[in-house]
Amino acid sequence: MAAPSRQSLLEGLTPEQQAVVTHERGPLLVIAGPGAGKTEVMLRRAAYLVLERRIEPEAILLTTFTRKATEELRVRLASLLGPQVERLLIATIHGFCQWLLEQFPDRHPFGQPLRILDEHLQHLFVFAHVEALGLNQPRGRLGEYIADVIAAFNAYSEDLVDPEALVVHLPSKSDDPEALAVAAAYCRYRRLLDESGWLDFPGLQREAYRLLREDDEVRATVQSRFQHVIVDEHQDTNILQDLILGIVAAPEMNLCVVGDDDQSIYRFRGATVANFLRFPELYPQARRIELSHNFRSRRPIVQVASRLIAHNPLRYAKTIEAVRGDGPEVLLVTSDDVDDEGERLAALIATLRAEGAIERWSDVAVLYRSVRYYAQPLLAALAARGIPAVATGNGGFFDRPDIQQLRDLIVALGWPSSWRPDHFAGPVLALTPETVDRLAAFAGNIWELDERGLEALGITDERDRSLLAGLVALRRRVKARQHGSILVLIDEILARSGYVARCIERGDTRAVLNLAQFSRLAADFDRQERSAAPFRFGEFLRSLPERSLDEVEPEDEDAVQVMTIHQAKGREFPVVILASLVEGRLPGRERPARFRIPPELLPQVTPPEIAARRLTDPEEALSDQRRLAYVALTRARDLLVLSAPARIRRQRSRPSRFLDEMGLTAERTSAPPVPRLSLAGTRDRTRRRELGTSAIVTYATCPLRFYLLYEAGFELPAWPTVQLGNAIHLTLAALHRRVLAGQPVDEEFAADLFDRYWQPLSRHASARLEGLYETGRTAVIRYVTNWHRTFERIVGVEQQFCYPAPHGLVTGRIDLVRACPDATLELVDFKTRATAGIALIRPDFQLRLYAAAFEQAVQRPVGRLTVHLLADDREESWGWSDEERARIQAELAAIWDGIAARNFPPHPGTHCVACEVAAFCPAMTKGA
DNA sequence: TAGGCACCTGTTTTT
DNA sequence: CAGGTGCCTA
């Protein structure tokens, strides 16, 4: 691929955009309004630094807000930079902190690998330690209380509140016993975390900040590596994050922050637009560039939005130019109350489609401040008209009957007295009505029945009987504590009932996605709670805040997009309807956080006036909501519809003050005329994505397996053989690294390494695991004995690569790279399975894929591809030719097309015996 | 203008 | 369930 020239990096950009790309050194503030093309400009700047200024890619740090955004940046930058993109650090700020801690494992007490509490794990952690934290007297529901407490903990951490100082000084500032209890709990929480070696998300940042500040060597290393720091979405950084970035960029201050003060909507989570607004004050030498062309929205939309946001007192004043020119006027839909509003909006959407203003339902997005609470009337009205809609942020995960039945079954397996007859009647088991009746009439203990007993009960259906007998057997395993994990129970129930296979067969992808989410929830539980006790799992589920989990929706349907304004951020739609513009909803009533930090207790890093304003100023709260409305308005490309009900339900209410501020009056109107739109070129491009080689190989063997594992994201019980594979993999990687470092290795060293990597994985001792341990240990020792002659040829270990294929980015890691006598490279992949199992995973395809990707990335010819079969103590090799390169590229393109077309049929074959999702597969279960 | 009672309503979410 | 709003009364 030819590298883009300076010319092409600047092509098609406005002079302001070009100035951002070519800015030489020193702090740079980029104020980028909506639709200003900021992502493209940022990426071109990064590419420009590498290609024109000859900055090493490693010297560039690019941070953004979400992981999804980092993926998008990586994929898009790959088309400018090629495989070099791998060498830049593109990460969320959390990701950067994690990277930093991993770089310096001996400079902090959190070990390696880091154990990070994600959202669910943090909830579980607090839930598991309620009593130790002194929080066992919750006010209201336990789940809500834990959520509030966690919010307080995270706020304390991110504002660098010293826990000891908090308990000492809070009593003089506050007489709220609850707040005092939470402060004390925070102290214990921090101590518990430290003792157990877990890091929560704020802890990750706090620890990175501490290292950067207190450890001169870490700071010097990091500062000398990153000569350029580019920060996306800077208006949504919090105080701690901004401090971290400031230190990293400190020596030369090549700190480029990109953002829009008008789109800062994460205040409730600790983000401070002040970081962005104070940038010129903090760095007086900073250059300031405004990107004020809007390439997205028609002029009336830009005008209305600009008029609204001008009412915010603290902002950079800006004039935005609507490049796309004039368009239809903004529509105002009035209604009696929120039920009426739903009706009218549904009718409007139907009309838009009927009159050809839009071509697809998904051209329309309806935005609410809260989908959970506000969207029901619209969803009902759409459903009544048969208009498809997806509502993200609906909180309805546990409303699904299948999820309920699965949950009830699991709890009942461990705690039979929780069993109620109606738990039998659900879609997962799908028992016949007669069976359900018989079971409901039965007064005894179902778990004590065997197959004959079930027959005696009058259960005649053979499938029902064997399914129930299977559950009884499972209950016995649980009772004997032999089941291992909650994940095993889910897997067994889904496999025995055939529910997943039935869902796949009738195309119910929604069910599959939600079952996968349930499996992830259980995997989190298993990771934190080693008890595997169903009762505890039930308690955990009950402890989750009400409606805190969304029902997962399939993305690919053509459906009206109903979502929260927060979720719409960064996206665009031809038609946007901003609904429920009524006082009390947008703007809503400000409710202060349950546990507040007295500003006096904040450490000196925060200017007190900012701390105070962020937390308490009602004017700032209103500004925040105005920004929220602004974000919503500016999502629209062609048509913006505002909807203002006269009341919420019965109580009188007023139309949102924001309507006045936009210069619109909420006069009652009849149905507004529908304008004609020309939507040419407004379609979202299909998202180019990043795929690992293992995912691609999986698709190549069986698209359905790929779907279940990588699209739906099923968590499955770890098969013992997978444990073995992991341990061997880690062992060989460490062994090879040592060889590469020029240090001696022998059999004893290899065996010790294996012991180290095996032990943490074996929780339950069993004969099976003992056998696997012996197998692994032997294989590793034998490898050193018989293959040490190849060690001198090792030139790369666990070599990462990425390959910008035409359809997306392929990433992967090669176990081992050896030099060949003819100066070509040999790529080696280690396999634990015996030859019989090997044919099933297409190692030749995998290695050719590696070769195609790797030779691009390192620009050295690959001559030989090798699979090392540890179980058989032998290697198998292939050559690598132009012909094969062409073939693999064609195959890769076909795979990518298949994934993009969402084509996921099962591909049955001999490999199915080794497939962990065979029991979910219609092709397998039908035959059986 | 203050006080009391009835009635209504009910954030946002990423790492 | 709990806190706030609005209406009514004194």
Side-chain angles (χ1 to χ4, degrees), chain A residues 13-21 28-43 45 232 256-263 276 287-295 316-323 630:
Chain A
L13 299 186
T14 64
E16 296 78 37
Q17 291 177 321
Q18 293 185 3
V20 175
V21 174
L28 171 63
L29 171 69
V30 181
I31 304 167
K38 74 173 165 106
T39 307
E40 185 64 27
V41 170
M42 249 172 26
L43 293 176
R45 173 168 173 77
D232 189 14
C256 166
V257 303
V258 184
D260 182 0
D261 44 316
D262 294 335
Q263 296 188 63
F276 193 67
R287 184 165 170 203
R288 172 170 157 181
I289 299 175
E290 287 169 28
L291 303 181
S292 47
H293 290 79
N294 183 328
F295 297 96
Y316 295 117
K318 32 190 137 15
T319 335
I320 292 179
E321 188 187 327
V323 177
Y630 180 76

Side-chain angles (χ1 to χ4, degrees), chain A residues 701 705 833 835-843 909-915:
Chain A
T701 42
R705 179 163 176 257
R833 295 175 207 246
T835 319
I838 276 297
L840 318 175
I841 49 176
R842 300 198 51 189
T910 43
H911 50 266
C912 297
V913 294
C915 176

Side-chain angles (χ1 to χ4, degrees), chain A residues 622-684:
Chain A
L622 183 63
S623 290
D624 198 55
Q625 303 225 12
R626 203 178 275 115
R627 288 192 290 262
L628 199 56
Y630 180 76
V631 167
L633 304 179
T634 53
R635 299 310 95 199
R637 287 184 57 93
D638 296 282
L639 177 64
L640 175 61
V641 181
L642 304 175
S643 166
R647 333 177 255 295
I648 292 176
R649 279 219 302 259
R650 311 247 308 272
Q651 196 168 44
R652 200 181 77 213
S653 185
R654 279 166 294 130
S656 169
R657 71 191 78 177
F658 293 160
L659 288 165
D660 284 338
E661 296 177 356
M662 287 182 241
L664 300 166
T665 36
E667 282 164 14
R668 304 303 309 278
T669 51
S670 52
V674 170
R676 292 223 77 76
L677 306 178
S678 51
L679 302 185
T682 65
R683 263 317 104 72
D684 264 357

Side-chain angles (χ1 to χ4, degrees), chain A residues 381-404:
Chain A
L382 288 172
R385 278 160 214 267
I387 299 174
V390 290
T392 40
N394 52 28
F397 180 63
F398 288 107
D399 297 342
R400 291 185 57 89
D402 50 0
I403 297 301
Q404 284 176 3

Side-chain angles (χ1 to χ4, degrees), chain A residues 896-907:
Chain A
W896 224 289
D897 288 345
I899 295 171
R902 309 197 59 79
N903 195 13
F904 302 118
H907 179 61

